[in-house]
Amino acid sequence: MTSGPAVPHDAPASSPLESSPVVPPAPTEVLGAPEIARALTRIAHEILERNKGGADVVLLGIPTRGVPLAERLALRLAEVEPGLDASSLVGTLDVTMHRDDLHRQPPRAIGTTTLPAGGIDGKVVVLVDDVLYSGRTIRAALDAISDIGRPRAVQLAALVDRGHRELPIRPDYVGKNLPTSVSERVHVRLAEIDGDDAVLISQPPVAAETQAEGAGL
């Protein structure tokens, strides 16, 4: 009878976690490119309807993915209202120095705030972001706006509202309301940055679930 290789008496017993590593489930697509396009077209029409045209509207995208979303919305506004110049409607708003979590995060590079030629004084500013979650990024955006001008009104457009608000902030325009648990993550992919358009939702591995944080602050 042939015996197997000797095992040292002090060898540690194999762990079930070592033999069966936790693999997170594949993300689920909740919006594809056609759905994202339709949502942006609908939001553009709602912006024009609510503000009786786009003459006084300025779209400020919040980096990173809020910027291409704002640019797409500007193009749609100009398509619906031919007198509008898309390039004069859109800008970017960096909120880095107004965030309330700087002391808990690694150092962040300060981005650039770019305003349309006419500025924002007396305008209707529509903040554009990809995911609305706790509302803290939007609070930072409101503080940033107060440093650069005095708009007539500020509105908010979000491609996805995933809930779990920590501040009394609500969007005026929403592409999709997406109920989520705190442990789930929402990923927005845009062709300008990621190579394709999609909104995905994923569940973290069980072992890491207690440390997971939802995407879209």
Side-chain angles (χ1 to χ4, degrees):
M1 180 177 179
T2 303
S3 61
V7 178
H9 292 293
D10 58 352
S14 61
S15 166
L17 291 178
E18 293 174 351
S19 59
S20 302
V22 176
V23 178
T28 301
E29 183 177 288
V30 293
L31 290 178
E35 291 81 14
I36 291 175
R38 285 195 293 270
L40 293 176
T41 298
R42 174 172 51 78
I43 289 174
H45 281 275
E46 291 174 354
I47 290 173
L48 292 174
E49 181 178 358
R50 175 166 179 169
N51 296 292
K52 297 179 174 57
D56 293 330
V57 171
V58 171
L59 305 169
L60 293 185
I62 299 175
T64 300
R65 288 166 180 79
V67 175
L69 288 173
E71 292 170 347
R72 294 191 198 184
L73 282 172
L75 290 173
R76 283 167 167 78
L77 293 180
E79 289 173 359
V80 178
E81 194 170 315
L84 297 176
D85 176 13
S87 63
S88 68
L89 298 175
V90 66
T92 64
L93 182 68
D94 179 67
V95 304
T96 303
M97 296 308 298
H98 296 274
R99 296 179 64 95
D100 61 4
D101 60 352
L102 290 176
H103 64 289
R104 297 189 300 158
Q105 301 289 342
R108 297 171 180 259
I110 298 176
T112 302
T113 291
T114 305
L115 301 181
I120 64 171
D121 289 344
K123 302 286 188 178
V124 175
V125 170
V126 180
L127 294 171
V128 183
D129 206 0
D130 56 347
V131 179
L132 179 58
Y133 181 33
S134 68
R136 294 184 179 274
T137 295
I138 305 305
R139 182 210 59 79
L142 294 173
D143 287 348
I145 286 176
S146 69
D147 286 347
I148 59 177
R150 184 181 174 83
R152 186 172 84 241
V154 179
Q155 300 169 2
L156 173 59
L159 180 61
V160 174
D161 183 356
R162 62 166 297 187
H164 304 288
R165 211 79 73 243
E166 297 173 5
L167 297 172
I169 291 172
R170 60 180 296 178
D172 299 276
Y173 315 102
V174 180
K176 183 174 180 61
N177 288 290
L178 185 61
T180 62
S181 68
V182 174
S183 63
E184 290 173 321
R185 296 182 66 86
V186 175
H187 311 270
V188 173
R189 296 180 57 86
L190 297 176
E192 295 90 338
I193 297 171
D194 309 294
D196 63 342
D197 284 355
V199 175
L200 309 172
I201 186 169
S202 64
Q203 185 72 32
V206 174
E209 191 168 356
T210 57
Q211 298 179 355
E213 295 182 0
L217 176 69

